[in-house]
Amino acid sequence: MKRNAYSAGAVKFCFWFLEFRKMVELLDAGKTFAEIKTMNEEENIFHISTMARRKQIFTTVSARIRSLGTSFYRLFAASDIIAQKQLCLAATMAHDTLFFDFVFEVIRTKLQLGVNEFTDADVRIFFTHKQMQDEQAAKWTEQTLKRLGQTYKSMLHEAGVIDNGREKRMIYPPLFDAGVELWLKKNDRNEIMQALSVHG
C-alpha cells in the first residue's frame, strides 16, 4: 500500500461518510470527478454552507476515493451501510498514512494484547513517538496533536470501531463484510484488515 508523507491536515477533516457515499454513487453512475466538482460548486450537492468547505470536502473525499481506485464502486453500490462504512474507512486509511499508522500502532496493538480499550495517554504516546521519528511531525504544536487525536477518535467512532467514551474508548473490531474482505485481499489492502483485526 502506498505511503504518503505525514500530514496534520486531518485537523480540519471528518469521516464524511455521506459525502463519500454520494460521490461513489455518482461515479458508479458514470459521472467524472470533474463533473462532480462542478456539481458540488454550482449545485451544492453536499449541502455545505460555505464554498471553501465545499471545496475542501470534495478535495479530501475525492482523494480518499482515488486511493482505492475504481474497482470498488460496484461493490460499494451493492453493499449495506456497514460494509459501505468499512470501505469508507479503508479509503481514509489508504489516503492518510498517519491515520493508518495510528490505527495500526494503537488499535491493533491493543487488540493483539487482548485489550479492548485505549486512553488519551495512548494517543499522546503515539504522537510522541511520531515526533521523534519524523521531521515534519516534530514541528507540530501540542494543540495540533490534540486536534489530530480528536479527529482520529471521531472518525473511528463514526466508522463504528470505537465508542464515544471520555476517559476510555472501547474498541469494537469490525467483522468485515465478506465482499469487502475479498476486495481488500485482491487489491493489496491486507494491512487495513490487519490493523483492525484481533488475530491479524
Side-chain angles (χ1 to χ4, degrees):
M1 190 168 70
K2 180 185 176 183
R3 288 184 63 83
N4 298 315
Y6 282 163
S7 168
V11 296
K12 300 177 181 178
F13 299 165
C14 298
F15 191 49
W16 287 324
F17 170 68
L18 294 178
E19 293 82 357
F20 186 93
R21 181 168 65 182
K22 178 74 171 179
M23 196 177 298
V24 174
E25 288 173 349
L26 288 169
L27 289 164
D28 188 53
K31 295 292 184 183
T32 66
F33 282 108
E35 288 171 331
I36 297 170
K37 181 175 185 287
T38 299
M39 291 169 66
N40 178 49
E41 293 176 7
E42 296 181 358
E43 302 172 32
N44 193 16
I45 57 173
F46 300 135
H47 308 293
I48 306 299
S49 59
T50 69
M51 181 62 75
R53 191 65 167 168
R54 281 185 223 171
K55 290 180 176 180
Q56 181 183 62
I57 290 173
F58 172 81
T59 298
T60 304
V61 173
S62 62
R64 290 174 181 175
I65 292 170
R66 284 187 169 104
S67 73
L68 292 188
T70 61
S71 64
F72 80 98
Y73 296 171
R74 281 280 78 208
L75 170 63
F76 188 93
S79 296
D80 63 19
I81 191 169
I82 294 174
Q84 288 181 343
K85 284 191 174 184
Q86 290 174 354
L87 287 165
C88 184
L89 179 60
T92 305
M93 291 170 67
H95 173 248
D96 187 335
T97 299
L98 185 61
F99 178 56
F100 171 85
D101 285 355
F102 177 83
V103 177
F104 198 90
E105 296 175 25
V106 177
I107 305 300
R108 180 177 184 271
T109 297
K110 291 292 183 179
L111 294 175
Q112 297 297 299
L113 293 172
V115 179
N116 287 332
E117 63 184 30
F118 70 100
T119 67
D120 285 344
D122 296 308
V123 178
R124 287 193 297 271
I125 290 169
F126 168 79
F127 284 123
T128 296
H129 288 163
K130 292 305 168 189
Q131 288 197 295
M132 291 189 292
Q133 297 166 2
D134 185 85
E135 270 185 26
Q136 186 62 34
K139 300 174 184 176
W140 298 337
T141 66
E142 283 299 315
Q143 182 64 20
T144 295
L145 297 175
K146 183 178 180 180
R147 289 175 63 194
L148 272 177
Q150 290 170 340
T151 297
Y152 291 171
K153 288 183 288 186
S154 176
M155 291 196 294
L156 288 170
H157 173 59
E158 290 186 55
V161 175
I162 65 173
D163 73 2
N164 200 28
R166 289 196 171 189
E167 295 183 5
K168 295 179 181 178
R169 296 286 184 118
M170 297 299 299
I171 304 169
Y172 306 111
L175 179 62
F176 278 96
D177 173 87
V180 173
E181 183 173 351
L182 181 61
W183 187 89
L184 290 170
K185 287 179 178 178
K186 282 186 173 181
N187 289 273
D188 193 28
R189 296 288 190 269
N190 281 330
E191 302 101 318
I192 290 171
M193 287 193 298
Q194 290 169 0
L196 292 161
S197 172
V198 176
H199 306 293

